[in-house]
Amino acid sequence: GNKAGIAGGAIYQDVDTRFFISNSALISENESVDGGAVYIAGGTANVAGGTIFENSASSCGGALYVSGEVTMTVGSIAQNSATSNGGAIYVTDGTFIMSGGSIGMNTATNGAAAYVTGNGASMSITGAELRTNTATNDGGAVYVSGGSLTLNNATLENNTATSNGGAAYVSGGSITMTGGSMSSNKAVNGGGAYVSGTDSIQGNFMMNSGIAEKNTATNGGAVYVTGGNFNMISGSMLNN
C-alpha cells in the first residue's frame, strides 16, 4: 500500500476539486496520520460502488477524513482502523451522505464506523448497514460530539463498545433515528445508545420510529441517558 506522513494515504483531495470512485474500484492497505485512504480537505467526492478496505490512520479517519462533501451510493467500507476516532469515517465540519452500502468490521477508540464533530458537520445514512464495528472506548458504530447524524431506515447491528454506547454515543450535537434498527449491540452502559452532556453542551437523541432490540449492557440495555436528552416519539424497544 501507499503511505502519507500527514494526510491521505492514497488520495489527498484539495479544496474546489472533485473525484469519483465507482464500480469495482479498490482502495486498500494504505496508511496515514489522518485519512488512511482518502483525505478530503474541502472538495466534492462521489463514491458509487467500490471498496475501501484495510486502510489505517494513526489518528483519525481510517478510511475517510471528510472536511468537504461526500456522497456515497452503495459500496463497502470495511476493516479499516483508526488509533483515535473514526475507524472508517471521520467527519469534521464536512458533509457525508450515504445511501445503501455497508460499513463493517472497522475499529477505533471512539466511533468505529463513524465519528462526527464540529458545529458544521453533518452525516446522513439511509438504508445502509453498520455491522460488527468495535470501539475500544465509546460508540461501537457511531460517535457524535457536534453537528448532526441522521439515520433513515439504517441497520446498526452487532456493534460493540468496551465502555459506552454499543451502537451510538452522542455527547454534543444530535442523532435522529427514523425507522431502521439498533439490534444485538453491546456495551457496559447503553447497549444501543449512550446520551450524555454537560450544563453547556448536551447530546440529543431523537427516535422518531424504528426498533431497539436484543441489545445488552450492564446498565441501560437499550439506552443510557446522563446529562443529555433522549426523546422517543414512536418505535419499540424489545428484548433488551
Side-chain angles (χ1 to χ4, degrees):
N2 303 285
K3 183 175 181 179
I6 297 176
I11 300 169
Y12 181 98
Q13 183 186 10
D14 210 343
V15 297
D16 299 323
T17 60
R18 296 183 179 183
F19 87 88
F20 301 89
I21 300 171
S22 61
N23 299 326
S24 59
L26 173 66
I27 302 177
S28 181
E29 297 182 4
N30 303 285
E31 59 183 288
S32 182
V33 176
D34 290 318
V38 181
Y39 188 103
I40 299 155
T44 301
N46 188 295
V47 180
T51 301
I52 304 176
F53 177 73
E54 283 191 346
N55 302 280
S56 63
S58 59
S59 184
C60 298
L64 301 172
Y65 188 108
V66 181
S67 290
E69 298 180 8
V70 177
T71 301
M72 178 177 176
T73 307
V74 302
S76 173
I77 304 177
Q79 295 186 39
N80 303 281
S81 64
T83 302
S84 295
N85 303 320
I89 303 163
Y90 184 89
V91 182
T92 174
D93 294 318
T95 301
F96 188 96
I97 300 171
M98 181 178 186
S99 300
S102 63
I103 306 174
M105 295 182 286
N106 302 282
T107 60
T109 300
N110 299 301
Y115 190 103
V116 181
T117 186
N119 292 333
S122 67
M123 186 172 191
S124 173
I125 299 174
T126 302
E129 299 177 351
L130 282 64
R131 285 195 166 106
T132 324
N133 301 284
T134 302
T136 57
N137 193 32
D138 298 328
V142 296
Y143 188 118
V144 179
S145 64
S148 64
L149 169 64
T150 303
L151 301 169
N152 296 310
N153 296 315
T155 300
L156 282 67
E157 185 177 29
N158 288 328
N159 302 287
T160 302
T162 301
S163 295
N164 305 311
Y169 183 105
V170 55
S171 62
S174 65
I175 296 176
T176 302
M177 176 181 175
T178 304
S181 63
M182 292 190 297
S183 61
S184 302
N185 303 286
K186 299 178 182 179
V188 174
N189 298 307
Y194 186 97
V195 185
S196 71
T198 64
D199 291 340
S200 58
I201 301 174
Q202 294 185 336
N204 298 280
F205 194 114
M206 174 73 75
M207 185 175 178
N208 289 320
S209 58
I211 186 169
E213 65 175 350
K214 299 179 182 178
N215 302 289
T216 58
T218 302
N219 302 298
V223 180
Y224 186 104
V225 184
T226 173
N229 303 297
F230 178 80
N231 296 300
M232 183 176 179
I233 306 302
S234 185
S236 58
M237 296 184 181
L238 303 170
N239 300 318
N240 298 285

